[in-house]
Amino acid sequence: MASVLTQMRILSPPRMCSEKKESVGRIPGSYGWPMVGEISDRLDYFWFQGPEKFFKTRIEKYKSTVFRTNVPPSFPFWGGVNPKVVAVLGCDSFSHLFDLEIVQKNNLLIGDFMPSTAFTGGITPAVYSDPSNPQHAKVKKFALDILKRSSKVWMTELVYNFDRLWDEVESDISEKGSCSYFFSLQQCLFCFLTKSLTGADPANDPQIAKSGYLMLDLWLALQLLPIVPILVAQPLVEIFLHSFPYPFFLVSGYYNNLVNFIKTQAKDVLLRGQTDFGLTESETIHNLLFILGFNAFGGFSVFIPALLNTIATDTTGLQQKLCKEVRKTTSLTFDSLNHMPLLQSVVYETLRLNPPVPLQYARARKDFQLTSHGSVFQVKKGELLCGYQPLAMKDPKIFHDPETFIPDRFMGSGKDLLNYLYWSNGPQTCSPSESNKQCAGKDYVTITAFLIVAHLFRRYDSITGTSTSITALQKPKQ
């Protein structure tokens, strides 16, 4: 694994395109009349347009990838949540979100809205804190240590659990003609990640083994429902799902089951959190569950279906090329991934077009000048910046033919484009540390995706399906 990580870090830090800077201008756009503007933007975002069209129409209206607008949640039942943001939707403007000299990230994981800390045992997980907070460094070091130690079992657990998944998918296809695999994939991911990250085996607790992934689903859903677009069953969704935060007691039993499981089955990790990193038992348990449930399980549950959909729906011969590349090596190892540039590029290109976390936020730490493709705007201290990655990652000034999936985009000289791949709350070419907010598992996410695809094409010649179902798996001819 170390050699793969080294390869990922050899590129230079991000460099924005050099353009002649103009004089400082006023940020276009408006927040509208009080309450009226908030409601109008909320309905556009959630109902009439959806997030991508919401941002695209405003880019066209203001002729700028930087503008003022409102983002949900907002009026009427959101006291203390300010929906006013400065949208940053170009690669260069988006990159300001990572400059901790000019912005801070305190309590901004999902915008100005933050779910009740009841969902996390009464503590604020370090992922919500700015690196200037000493607690952030302690938990980030703990997370990096967990990941480093997990590398000893990462591949064996992944292969074991994905073999079981594909066996189940094969059986369903044989019996029913197709397989709706999403929940089976989630159970596979839950077992693999829980065993790898915490050392706790779900098989030791029948209830967790059977329903642990569903417990995490419900825990995540109640926290995120207020900000997740659901473009069906309107206006009922607006009335019942987007109008107020959901109370923790609805999932308290499930969460407490997970807490008890970690407390009894992950004792080595919990002890290390306390003795090596100065965390209390409560801080260790709830941060560990957040890392497992929100960051790892939640992120993979979004990204892996997108990756499988990209591959399974391709009709250009990509699968045959991947199959050939993967089978050039006699065995699947971390080092063998270094010889699979097309596979790596496919994963990066999928992350470009389908980032697991579409929105990233930061608040201005001080007054500063924000640059955007030759324009300069004045941002005031305290203003909230909002970046929508699916558009920023389609910046035509950086990516040729940005709307199109190009499998080999990041191969050869295209590796330089990794400087602008921001899915992990920072450039792909930078490394997570306690002094930044980049995802602690950034490299493990990409390596895991490489392994999943490589394992798939060592087992099958081809796959047919979508992000929710698989209709055919072609095994190699004997």
Side-chain angles (χ1 to χ4, degrees):
M1 180 180 285
S3 59
V4 180
L5 300 185
T6 301
Q7 181 189 22
M8 292 176 175
R9 293 167 181 164
I10 61 174
L11 297 175
S12 58
R15 302 180 301 276
M16 291 297 114
C17 297
S18 59
E19 300 181 21
K20 184 179 179 180
K21 299 295 187 293
E22 300 176 357
S23 59
V24 178
R26 182 181 65 85
I27 298 174
S30 168
Y31 301 125
W33 291 97
M35 294 188 292
V36 175
E38 296 174 13
I39 293 175
S40 175
D41 284 345
R42 169 186 156 174
L43 294 179
D44 279 347
Y45 184 92
F46 275 147
W47 187 353
F48 301 128
Q49 296 177 333
E52 186 143 338
K53 187 176 180 181
F54 174 88
F55 288 113
K56 276 185 175 180
T57 56
R58 284 153 180 78
I59 289 176
E60 294 168 1
K61 178 180 179 179
Y62 302 123
K63 308 301 179 186
S64 173
T65 57
V66 177
F67 53 85
R68 298 185 185 280
T69 189
N70 299 286
V71 294
S74 59
F75 184 84
F77 303 119
W78 297 95
V81 178
N82 187 347
K84 297 178 175 63
V85 300
V86 175
V88 288
L89 305 176
C91 266
D92 52 357
S93 59
F94 196 96
S95 67
H96 292 76
L97 297 172
F98 317 131
D99 186 346
L100 296 179
E101 290 188 3
I102 59 174
V103 301
Q104 58 92 0
K105 298 268 193 170
N106 200 45
N107 295 339
L108 295 176
L109 181 65
I110 51 178
D112 199 50
F113 165 67
M114 180 177 170
S116 167
T117 56
F119 284 94
T120 50
I123 71 162
T124 300
V127 73
Y128 279 101
S129 63
D130 187 74
S132 60
N133 184 335
Q135 188 72 1
H136 176 272
K138 290 198 293 185
V139 177
K140 189 73 170 281
K141 288 178 181 178
F142 173 58
L144 292 170
D145 178 74
I146 289 171
L147 289 163
K148 181 179 179 180
R149 291 173 182 268
S150 72
S151 63
K152 299 175 183 177
V153 299
W154 199 265
M155 179 175 289
T156 54
E157 287 297 331
L158 183 147
V159 170
Y160 171 74
N161 282 285
F162 271 84
D163 271 335
R164 294 181 64 187
L165 170 67
W166 293 124
D167 285 345
E168 182 178 337
V169 171
E170 281 184 35
S171 177
D172 278 2
I173 292 175
S174 176
E175 182 180 341
K176 306 172 187 175
S178 67
C179 175
S180 298
Y181 69 92
F182 180 72
F183 290 115
S184 295
L185 172 65
Q186 282 203 311
Q187 188 164 34
C188 167
L189 289 169
F190 175 77
C191 292
F192 152 59
L193 291 167
T194 301
K195 188 75 176 294
S196 300
L197 294 174
T198 73
D201 189 348
N204 292 333
D205 185 322
Q207 186 177 24
I208 296 298
K210 179 181 179 181
S211 305
Y213 73 100
L214 291 173
M215 295 177 187
L216 283 182
D217 276 338
L218 292 169
W219 174 74
L220 283 166
L222 259 66
Q223 295 177 75
L224 298 178
L225 271 177
I227 62 168
V228 174
I230 303 173
L231 302 179
V232 296
Q234 295 287 7
L236 296 179
V237 167
E238 288 312 300
I239 296 172
F240 295 108
L241 299 184
H242 289 156
S243 291
F244 44 81
Y246 277 74
F248 170 66
F249 78 82
L250 294 174
V251 292
S252 59
Y254 300 135
Y255 186 71
N256 290 334
N257 285 340
L258 292 167
V259 168
N260 290 333
F261 170 70
I262 293 297
K263 192 170 183 177
T264 58
Q265 300 294 325
K267 291 181 179 179
D268 288 345
V269 174
L270 297 184
L271 181 62
R272 199 161 64 247
Q274 296 169 73
T275 59
D276 294 358
F277 299 96
L279 301 170
T280 67
E281 181 184 63
S282 179
E283 289 170 342
T284 307
I285 290 172
H286 297 294
N287 274 291
L288 184 59
L289 270 176
F290 198 91
I291 292 166
L292 170 65
F294 201 106
N295 299 116
F297 174 79
F300 276 124
S301 292
V302 173
F303 176 55
I304 298 304
L307 179 61
L308 291 176
N309 178 73
T310 296
I311 294 170
T313 58
D314 182 82
T315 58
T316 66
L318 173 62
Q319 293 192 39
Q320 290 79 4
K321 293 176 183 178
L322 287 171
C323 191
K324 182 179 179 181
E325 182 179 76
V326 166
R327 295 179 188 175
K328 282 183 178 179
T329 58
T330 57
S331 60
L332 181 58
T333 66
F334 291 125
D335 285 340
S336 71
L337 298 175
N338 291 316
H339 305 289
M340 303 178 190
L342 176 61
L343 182 151
Q344 292 187 22
S345 182
V346 166
V347 169
Y348 292 138
E349 181 72 338
T350 305
L351 283 167
R352 181 183 73 86
L353 293 171
N354 303 276
V357 180
L359 293 164
Q360 291 186 22
Y361 295 89
R363 193 177 299 281
R365 193 182 295 274
K366 59 184 179 181
D367 293 357
F368 71 90
Q369 292 182 354
L370 183 147
T371 58
S372 176
H373 297 317
S375 298
V376 182
F377 302 103
Q378 186 68 41
V379 175
K380 296 294 185 182
K381 178 180 179 180
E383 289 194 296
L384 184 62
L385 307 181
C386 171
Y388 185 67
Q389 283 196 86
L391 286 184
M393 295 294 93
K394 295 175 186 174
D395 189 334
K397 293 183 180 293
I398 302 297
F399 298 104
H400 170 70
D401 195 6
E403 299 282 344
T404 302
F405 177 85
I406 301 177
D408 61 354
R409 185 186 296 275
F410 293 96
M411 292 176 62
S413 61
K415 285 184 178 179
D416 288 342
L417 292 173
L418 293 173
N419 288 311
Y420 307 103
L421 185 62
Y422 297 150
W423 70 272
S424 63
N425 201 12
Q428 180 62 37
T429 48
C430 291
S431 301
S433 73
E434 63 269 20
S435 62
N436 65 30
K437 288 296 292 181
Q438 191 155 33
C439 173
K442 173 187 78 85
D443 296 329
Y444 290 80
V445 169
T446 51
I447 288 172
T448 299
F450 300 160
L451 289 171
I452 289 172
V453 177
H455 175 261
L456 172 67
F457 284 106
R458 292 184 73 84
R459 180 165 173 149
Y460 302 109
D461 283 344
S462 66
I463 177 174
T464 305
T466 66
S467 61
T468 57
S469 66
I470 294 173
T471 55
L473 289 166
Q474 181 65 50
K475 288 187 174 181
K477 296 179 180 178
Q478 299 296 326

